[in-house]
């Protein structure tokens, strides 16, 4: 018999993917240059040159049997060790390779972490706005997502989080820089959150894990700081992907870091490994594992993202749109001029603008604009944005 829940997930694409597919169809009808697709968070800049050089070197120099063969389920020991040494050196927080589980990107990292830390009937706090797949991942683990709205500036609402914690709370997911708002959570707010979680642990007599989802860690602007959360809160598990920092989204490579400060860190790591095994996520792509030791700390040239961010902020504000300036990632979270963001996104299509309405992010009334595109595409789209603004009686 078919698993009907799985069938439903397979038939109902995410809103983001639906809009992307619509854009592909529309481009074939009127030409790609006439469609302004801001739907998908797909990096538009090339990987650092060192990435391609290392791939070529490995292919030319290394025997293919070892290069393309299986690694250990948790990752090649030299890769895990290199990641740990990089984190220790960068953040001044001692980590060993035994704390690193190499994964098939951030999705595998998150699902493995949730599978390890959440049991049936438990709750996971998600801070709205949040990446829509969190709910899918949490439900797969047997848990239930508890949405907590953030403050108007998209910083965590500490009092609301405190009220949302119950004896069933197993974890909270923190995503900074944030998809979809681009907000970077301040050190002060993280310290306040850590205090609340620590107090709740003491009161409830149980661990409440902080799952730090950090694929955008290096994509920050204007000197914004992204604090290393394991140095702030003891019971932290970090889920990371190289998709954005190295512009390698299709290569699916990342890791889970189980903080060595966790009292039962060995058991948590074993649970992550067991969850990954049960999901079929063992042995991340071998070639990608092999290049990592040589490219850790490298970041793609994100100057184009910053240029796009500044251009959109300046122009859309001049048209009368409202937006909290993002400090990281490559998303602009634009406030809809009408309460129904879906209506706004559908009207935007009349101007060939593909924007993602915010309801699936748990934060109605906004649209997400992915500005990881060529700057020329944004410039071509500005007259359409102006016309859209005028259609709502804004300055345009």
């Amino acid at each position: 018999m078919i698993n009907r829940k799985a069938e439903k997930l397979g038939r109902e694409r995410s809103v983001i993917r639906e809009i992307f597919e619509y854009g592909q169809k529309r481009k074939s009808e009127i030409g790609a240059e006439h469609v302004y697709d801001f739907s998908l968070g797909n990096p538009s800049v090339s990987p650092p040159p060192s990435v391609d050089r290392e791939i070529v070197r490995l292919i030319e120099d290394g025997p293919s049997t070892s290069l393309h063969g299986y690694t250990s389920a948790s990752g090649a020991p030299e890769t895990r060790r290199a990641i740990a040494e990089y984190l220790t050196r960068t953040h001044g927080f001692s980590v060993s390779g035994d704390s690193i589980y190499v994964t098939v990107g951030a999705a595998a990292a998150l699902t493995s972490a949730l599978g390890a830390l959440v049991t049936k009937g438990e709750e996971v706090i998600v801070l709205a706005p949040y990446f829509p797949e969190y709910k899918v991942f949490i439900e797969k683990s047997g848990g239930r997502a508890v949405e907590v709205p953030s403050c108007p500036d998209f910083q965590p609402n500490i009092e609301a989080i405190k009220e949302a914690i119950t004896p069933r709370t197993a974890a909270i997911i923190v995503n900074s820089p944030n998809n979809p708002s681009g907000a970077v959570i301040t050190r002060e707010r993280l310290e306040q959150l850590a205090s609340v979680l620590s107090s709740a642990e003491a009161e409830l007599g149980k661990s409440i894990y902080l799952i730090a989802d950090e694929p955008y860690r290096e994509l920050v602007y204007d000197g914004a700081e992204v604090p290393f959360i394991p140095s702030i809160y003891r019971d932290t598990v970090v889920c990371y992907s190289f998709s954005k920092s190295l512009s390698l989204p299709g290569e699916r490579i990342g890791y889970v870091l189980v903080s060595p400060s966790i009292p039962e860190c060995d058991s948590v790591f074993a649970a992550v490994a067991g969850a990954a095994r049960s999901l079929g996520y063992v042995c991340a792509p071998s070639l990608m594992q092999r290049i990592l030791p040589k490219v850790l700390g490298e970041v793609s040239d994100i100057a184009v993202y910053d240029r796009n961010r500044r251009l959109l902020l300046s122009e859309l504000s001049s048209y009368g749109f409202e937006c909290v300036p993002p400090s990281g990632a490559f998303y602009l979270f634009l406030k809809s001029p009408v309460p129904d963001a879906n209506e706004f996104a559908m009207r935007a299509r009349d101007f060939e603008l593909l924007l993602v309405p915010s309801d699936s992010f748990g934060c109605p009334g906004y649209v997400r604009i992915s500005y990881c595109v060529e700057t020329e595409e944004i410039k071509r789209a500005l007259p359409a944005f102006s016309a859209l603004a005028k259609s709502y009686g804004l300055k345009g």
Side-chain angles (χ1 to χ4, degrees):
M1 183 175 177
I2 296 173
N3 183 323
R4 297 302 179 188
K5 187 174 182 179
E7 180 188 12
K8 182 181 179 183
L9 282 173
R11 291 187 181 279
E12 295 180 359
R13 284 192 296 243
S14 72
V15 174
I16 298 169
R17 287 287 175 177
E18 186 277 325
I19 295 172
F20 174 74
E21 294 300 335
Y22 168 84
Q24 295 300 100
K25 179 175 179 292
R26 192 67 178 142
K27 289 174 185 178
S28 70
E29 295 170 346
I30 66 173
E33 69 276 14
H34 301 301
V35 179
Y36 313 114
D37 188 354
F38 300 102
S39 64
L40 207 59
N42 199 23
S44 59
V45 299
S46 299
S50 57
V51 171
D52 290 341
R53 285 199 302 267
E54 185 62 11
I55 290 174
V56 171
R57 187 191 70 78
L58 286 168
I59 291 173
E60 290 181 344
D61 297 349
S64 60
T65 50
S66 61
L67 185 60
H68 300 298
Y70 290 126
T71 66
S72 298
S74 56
E78 61 272 23
T79 300
R80 298 169 66 198
R81 183 168 57 251
I83 293 171
E85 290 173 353
Y86 170 75
L87 292 174
T88 299
R89 185 171 63 252
T90 303
H91 302 295
F93 185 89
S94 183
V95 176
S96 77
D98 293 337
S99 300
I100 303 292
Y101 191 99
V102 185
T103 63
V104 188
L110 283 163
T111 50
S112 298
L114 287 163
L117 302 174
V118 181
T119 59
K120 187 174 181 180
E122 289 190 310
E123 297 171 347
V124 179
I125 294 173
V126 294
L127 308 180
Y130 57 84
F131 181 53
E133 294 301 280
Y134 285 170
K135 294 184 77 171
V136 177
F137 299 161
I138 291 167
E139 289 171 6
K140 173 63 179 175
S141 72
R144 183 176 75 88
V146 175
E147 297 182 6
V148 175
S150 296
C151 296
D153 60 356
F154 302 121
Q155 292 291 315
N157 186 325
I158 301 301
E159 286 303 313
I161 293 170
K162 185 176 181 179
E163 292 176 6
I165 296 173
T166 74
R168 294 183 298 278
T169 303
I172 179 172
I173 299 178
V174 171
N175 174 218
S176 176
N178 178 259
N179 174 10
S181 71
V184 176
I185 301 176
T186 65
R187 177 176 291 276
E188 179 184 12
R189 200 63 62 94
L190 286 171
E191 289 172 347
Q192 292 170 353
L193 175 60
S195 177
V196 165
L197 295 177
S198 297
S199 296
E201 286 186 324
E203 181 180 341
L204 297 172
K206 58 173 288 186
S207 296
I208 298 177
Y209 294 98
L210 191 158
I211 300 174
D213 180 25
E214 299 189 344
Y216 300 95
R217 163 171 279 280
E218 290 80 10
L219 275 62
V220 291
Y221 315 104
D222 299 331
E225 177 199 13
V226 182
F228 189 62
I229 299 179
S231 67
I232 297 175
Y233 182 64
R234 184 191 67 182
D235 293 333
T236 296
V237 173
V238 177
C239 296
Y240 183 82
S241 167
F242 293 92
S243 294
K244 279 40 180 205
S245 62
L246 295 179
S247 294
L248 295 173
E251 306 302 346
R252 314 309 296 157
I253 188 74
Y255 62 81
V256 175
L257 163 64
V258 176
S259 174
S261 299
I262 296 174
E264 296 181 299
C265 58
D266 290 345
S267 294
V268 172
F269 187 89
V272 169
R277 177 186 177 189
S278 71
L279 293 164
Y281 288 142
V282 294
C283 182
S286 177
L287 178 60
M288 291 300 104
Q289 287 195 53
R290 304 295 185 192
I291 74 166
L292 289 180
K294 294 292 186 180
V295 300
L296 290 168
E298 297 277 348
V299 180
S300 298
D301 183 2
I302 64 171
V304 64
Y305 299 151
D306 192 20
R307 186 162 59 247
N308 292 351
R309 177 183 73 109
R310 293 174 185 275
L311 177 60
L312 275 172
L313 271 175
S314 172
E315 294 301 311
L316 297 188
S317 296
S318 74
Y319 302 157
F321 290 118
E322 297 179 34
C323 176
V324 175
S327 299
F330 40 51
Y331 305 109
L332 199 69
F333 211 42
L334 193 73
K335 189 171 184 180
S336 170
V338 292
D340 188 348
N342 291 281
E343 174 195 317
F344 178 51
M346 289 305 295
R347 185 182 294 194
R349 288 192 188 189
D350 294 339
F351 300 90
E352 307 302 342
L353 291 165
L354 304 187
L355 317 177
V356 180
S358 63
D359 292 57
S360 63
F361 296 105
C363 184
Y366 293 81
V367 293
R368 190 189 77 171
I369 300 173
S370 297
Y371 55 81
C372 48
V373 299
E374 297 293 334
T375 304
E376 287 305 313
E377 181 173 354
I378 291 178
K379 290 179 179 178
R380 291 198 307 271
L382 291 177
F385 275 115
S386 177
L388 176 62
K390 289 177 180 176
S391 76
Y392 282 101
L394 302 178
K395 289 183 290 186

